[in-house]
Amino acid sequence: KIYFSFGSHEKETAIYTKDLISKVFKLNASIIMAHKSAINVCCYSRTLAFVMKYILKFGMNAKSKNIPGIVFNLNKSCRYDLLLSYLAGDGYPTKDLFELIKSRRMLHSLQIQKITLATISAGLSLSLQYLLSSLGLSYSLGYTPGKKSTINNINTIFSPAYYIYIYTSQKM
């Protein structure tokens, strides 16, 4: 199985993802509630799961996410499309980025000045920086170390987080 996770407020993006799986891979996918604040698009294909895990090496969870090396052999337009898809699924503001994909517009057409990405994967942070540089896009970085905290009398541990801020006023 492959899961694509979305916030419960991202139903339109989940439906779009489900439809793309059907069109591109000719596979059925379903949308299920993961919990109160999240939905998953589930694709039940061992073959696709094998390809994504062992051949493309996208990663298996938040900490191991990565952009496969093969992406950097794609032409600039394909790399840009992959970036927009990633941003729409994992960037902020998600809704604006999803609209950008649907309308086939560029980042500089957004009304916002900055897109924020956050990840606990050092590998994903590094590969995103490489992708952005390969597209000639400017960005800045941030980092928050992990910490222990107590929330509602429950001890929690927060992972370190890597932040990438992409500036939208630039043209490719």
Side-chain angles (χ1 to χ4, degrees), residues 55 76 127:
I55 297 173
K76 191 173 187 177
S127 57

PDB file of all heavy atoms in Angstrom, residues 55 76 127:
ATOM      1  N   ILE A  55      13.142   1.478  -5.935  1.00  0.00           N
ATOM      2  CA  ILE A  55      13.767   1.961  -7.166  1.00  0.00           C
ATOM      3  C   ILE A  55      13.899   3.487  -7.141  1.00  0.00           C
ATOM      4  O   ILE A  55      14.989   4.023  -7.313  1.00  0.00           O
ATOM      5  CB  ILE A  55      12.990   1.471  -8.408  1.00  0.00           C
ATOM      6  CG1 ILE A  55      13.058  -0.060  -8.454  1.00  0.00           C
ATOM      7  CG2 ILE A  55      13.547   2.102  -9.683  1.00  0.00           C
ATOM      8  CD1 ILE A  55      12.215  -0.716  -9.507  1.00  0.00           C
ATOM      9  N   LYS A  76      13.932  20.960 -17.036  1.00  0.00           N
ATOM     10  CA  LYS A  76      13.568  22.006 -16.075  1.00  0.00           C
ATOM     11  C   LYS A  76      12.058  22.065 -15.839  1.00  0.00           C
ATOM     12  O   LYS A  76      11.609  22.219 -14.703  1.00  0.00           O
ATOM     13  CB  LYS A  76      14.088  23.353 -16.575  1.00  0.00           C
ATOM     14  CG  LYS A  76      14.006  24.468 -15.573  1.00  0.00           C
ATOM     15  CD  LYS A  76      14.702  25.717 -16.089  1.00  0.00           C
ATOM     16  CE  LYS A  76      14.763  26.787 -15.033  1.00  0.00           C
ATOM     17  NZ  LYS A  76      15.505  27.966 -15.498  1.00  0.00           N
ATOM     18  N   SER A 127      17.787  17.775  -0.462  1.00  0.00           N
ATOM     19  CA  SER A 127      17.412  17.545  -1.860  1.00  0.00           C
ATOM     20  C   SER A 127      16.473  18.641  -2.381  1.00  0.00           C
ATOM     21  O   SER A 127      16.528  18.994  -3.563  1.00  0.00           O
ATOM     22  CB  SER A 127      16.829  16.138  -2.068  1.00  0.00           C
ATOM     23  OG  SER A 127      15.722  15.894  -1.254  1.00  0.00           O
TER      24      SER A 127
END
